[in-house]
Amino acid sequence: MEIFGREREQNQLRLSLDSGMPELVAVYGRRRVGKTYLIRRYFNDKFDFYLTGVYQGTKKEQLQNFQKQLNHYADASFPLTDNWFDAFDQLKTYLQHLNKKRVIVFIDEMPWLDTPKSRFLKAFELFWNSWGATQEKLMFIVCGSATTWMMNKLIGDKGGLHNRTSRNIHLSPFNLYETEAYLRSRKIRLSHLQIAECYMILGGVPYYLSLLETDKSLSQNIDNLFFHKDGVMKNEYYFLLRSLFNEASLYSRIIELISSKNKGLTQKEIKESLRISDSGKLTEVLNNLVACDMVNRYSAFGKTSRDNIYQISDPFIHFYLTFAKNYNGKDEHRWTNMLDNPTRTAWSGYAFELICLLHLNQIKQRLGIAGILTQTCSWINADTSSRQQIDLVIDRRDQVVNLCEIKYSRAKYEITKKYSDYMVERLEAFRQQTKTRKALHLTMITTSGLADNEYAGEIQSVVDLDDLFRPSI
């Protein structure tokens, strides 16, 4: 099957393959994002050694699996060992006798091999530093969904593996352009608005998209996946957290708190709400959630990093917590029957905002500022009685600030006199409070474009849904 998108990642693999140097390549990203698929398809499953960790397996079970795979690839009878130091010595013995220009080793779900007290990482460290890093023909790929382990114990290790990875590939979900290409490859043809709604529910996670059935409407598919008694996605949220984090319950508490506040929370607000005493631990959790593409971290205009706001950035998690987490199982057609439900309407508005924040590259392309240095943030009026907020502020190096208003609408969005006055009033409040001397451009980002009326002239630039389907540059 074809690899859709992933051009940058494929280029990184190509450079590693052709470098003529020892390569330790780390590939990481959330569960179901397609890490294993990418590597196996790119190399056409032609590895000199391939091993995948056993989820929640014991040290003995991991070593038994290692021995089985080693004997398969080596066509030999290496004895079962009881420690990873000997296991990696056996791997070294096999690999050093291969007479090949490039030797490719792939260990998938490496974090699962690192069971308590197994000293797996110490053994791998010795293997790589004493031998692997000297072998010009060796390309060693390690992969893991447990992003915290990959970031802290491998890529960010402060000990013997410090700066040992030659390339770090962070695999993120598809964007809208890639999602459309993938769905078309599976004979699923939807309008851009329908694809956007699909993305608002499943995100750009390839595995989730692969579950859509071609003979059913999008609403029928969502009902079957989330609300049917045997729905495949009913428990995915819990599997996702357990596969990524050892302290899944703590992560869940923080995710669910942030998700309950559409506009996001500061670290101080999270700490106070959950009564977390260890600030260092909270910082670690938030950094891990950002690294896993589950939470977005951004600043308010004119604020320091101390005032960073954390907001859910994973569409699937936001949808699941809004509609499926507390589902009582009484209506297997819940999503179809909620078409005009106010909760669904409110969710649509925020979920579209989330999509826009995930497609800043495409928004900048449409505005003609792709090559200009920018900083994106939000803004809240310091006068709390006014309740004015701008969800997306694009602060540009060319002395312009785009104040972006994001609206989800199935028809062209029509600006009324009241709303036009509100936007102008908010623009002036922004100018006065920030003391900026830059030009302020009102920008509308909508699903279906802007209706042409007497108030549309107040808007300097318009971005519509079709613009978000551009390929990244």
Side-chain angles (χ1 to χ4, degrees), residues 129-190:
N129 290 339
S130 66
W131 184 76
T134 68
Q135 304 302 302
E136 293 183 351
K137 66 181 181 181
L138 181 59
M139 181 179 181
F140 203 114
I141 308 165
V142 300
C143 181
S145 297
T147 305
T148 54
W149 190 97
M150 296 290 290
M151 294 293 293
N152 299 334
K153 293 193 175 185
L154 183 67
I155 298 170
D157 181 63
K158 304 300 183 184
L161 287 172
H162 180 62
N163 282 339
R164 288 295 188 263
T165 54
S166 53
R167 299 182 197 275
N168 302 318
I169 300 176
H170 178 200
L171 201 64
S172 295
F174 286 157
N175 58 29
L176 284 169
Y177 174 83
E178 293 164 331
T179 298
E180 180 177 33
Y182 178 75
L183 292 176
R184 283 182 177 273
S185 76
R186 300 192 60 248
K187 311 301 181 186
I188 298 176
R189 299 189 178 275
L190 303 173

Side-chain angles (χ1 to χ4, degrees), residues 106-367:
F106 176 30
I107 295 186
D108 197 6
E109 296 298 358
M110 184 183 248
W112 294 352
L113 299 172
D114 188 27
T115 55
K117 300 181 180 179
S118 68
R119 295 182 63 78
F120 167 82
L121 202 57
K122 283 296 180 185
F124 177 72
E125 175 187 313
L126 179 63
F127 163 82
W128 184 258
N129 290 339
S130 66
W131 184 76
T134 68
Q135 304 302 302
E136 293 183 351
K137 66 181 181 181
L138 181 59
M139 181 179 181
F140 203 114
I141 308 165
V142 300
C143 181
S145 297
T147 305
T148 54
W149 190 97
M150 296 290 290
M151 294 293 293
N152 299 334
K153 293 193 175 185
L154 183 67
I155 298 170
D157 181 63
K158 304 300 183 184
L161 287 172
H162 180 62
N163 282 339
R164 288 295 188 263
T165 54
S166 53
R167 299 182 197 275
N168 302 318
I169 300 176
H170 178 200
L171 201 64
S172 295
F174 286 157
N175 58 29
L176 284 169
Y177 174 83
E178 293 164 331
T179 298
E180 180 177 33
Y182 178 75
L183 292 176
R184 283 182 177 273
S185 76
R186 300 192 60 248
K187 311 301 181 186
I188 298 176
R189 299 189 178 275
L190 303 173
S191 69
H192 278 184
L193 191 60
Q194 290 170 322
I195 294 173
E197 182 177 338
C198 176
Y199 200 96
M200 286 153 61
I201 298 168
L202 300 176
V205 180
Y207 172 74
Y208 299 165
L209 297 171
S210 74
L211 299 174
L212 298 174
E213 298 179 40
T214 57
D215 61 340
K216 293 181 173 60
S217 69
L218 179 60
S219 292
Q220 288 174 319
N221 270 300
I222 300 308
D223 282 332
N224 286 345
L225 291 174
F226 288 92
F227 305 113
H228 190 274
K229 62 182 178 65
D230 299 319
V232 175
M233 298 291 284
K234 283 178 65 174
N235 297 309
E236 173 63 16
Y237 170 70
Y238 302 102
F239 292 147
L240 175 63
L241 295 189
R242 287 201 297 270
S243 71
L244 293 176
F245 312 115
N246 290 329
E247 301 170 275
S249 60
L250 173 61
Y251 281 82
S252 179
R253 288 172 61 208
I254 293 172
I255 288 171
E256 290 176 24
L257 174 65
I258 297 174
S259 183
S260 69
K261 305 293 182 181
N262 285 350
K263 304 308 178 184
L265 292 167
T266 64
Q267 182 166 336
K268 180 181 178 182
E269 290 170 332
I270 296 169
K271 180 180 178 181
E272 292 174 350
S273 295
L274 297 180
R275 299 179 182 178
I276 297 174
S277 57
D278 188 343
S279 296
K281 183 63 179 179
L282 178 57
T283 298
E284 177 188 334
V285 171
L286 291 172
N287 287 340
N288 289 337
L289 289 172
V290 171
C292 292
D293 297 312
M294 292 183 177
V295 168
N296 183 36
R297 174 171 48 215
Y298 63 96
S299 62
F301 192 91
K303 299 290 186 178
T304 65
S305 59
R306 187 181 307 171
D307 302 300
N308 279 339
I309 296 171
Y310 294 86
Q311 186 180 50
I312 288 295
S313 60
D314 187 308
F316 158 72
I317 288 179
H318 183 249
F319 173 83
Y320 185 91
L321 294 178
T322 304
F323 296 105
K325 182 175 183 290
N326 297 314
Y327 168 60
N328 59 23
K330 294 181 179 179
D331 183 4
E332 293 190 345
H333 305 286
R334 187 183 189 199
W335 191 241
T336 301
N337 293 333
M338 288 186 72
L339 183 60
D340 299 316
N341 187 290
T343 302
R344 178 168 172 174
T345 302
W347 165 83
S348 296
Y350 174 72
F352 181 61
E353 286 182 25
L354 198 158
I355 285 184
C356 293
L357 295 176
L358 293 173
H359 289 76
L360 292 174
N361 179 290
Q362 286 75 13
I363 292 172
K364 288 178 63 176
Q365 285 184 58
R366 174 62 181 85
L367 295 175

Side-chain angles (χ1 to χ4, degrees), residues 409-460:
S409 173
R410 292 189 172 275
K412 287 183 179 294
Y413 187 78
E414 185 169 356
I415 299 176
T416 63
K417 181 181 185 307
K418 181 179 178 181
Y419 194 72
S420 174
D421 292 342
Y422 167 75
M423 286 194 293
V424 172
E425 177 187 336
R426 190 179 55 177
L427 180 148
E428 292 304 323
F430 178 90
R431 189 193 306 278
Q432 291 174 18
Q433 286 189 17
T434 62
K435 305 268 191 296
T436 184
R437 295 185 177 181
K438 295 183 177 182
L440 302 181
H441 286 188
L442 289 175
T443 301
M444 291 292 297
I445 306 175
T446 71
T447 45
S448 305
L450 195 62
D452 185 14
N453 64 14
E454 58 185 304
Y455 304 110
E458 296 287 346
I459 307 301
Q460 273 77 35

Side-chain angles (χ1 to χ4, degrees), residues 66-83:
F66 178 92
Q67 180 214 29
K68 178 182 177 182
Q69 290 296 99
L70 182 59
N71 286 335
H72 167 72
Y73 279 93
D75 192 20
S77 298
F78 285 100
L80 177 63
T81 178
D82 63 357
N83 69 85

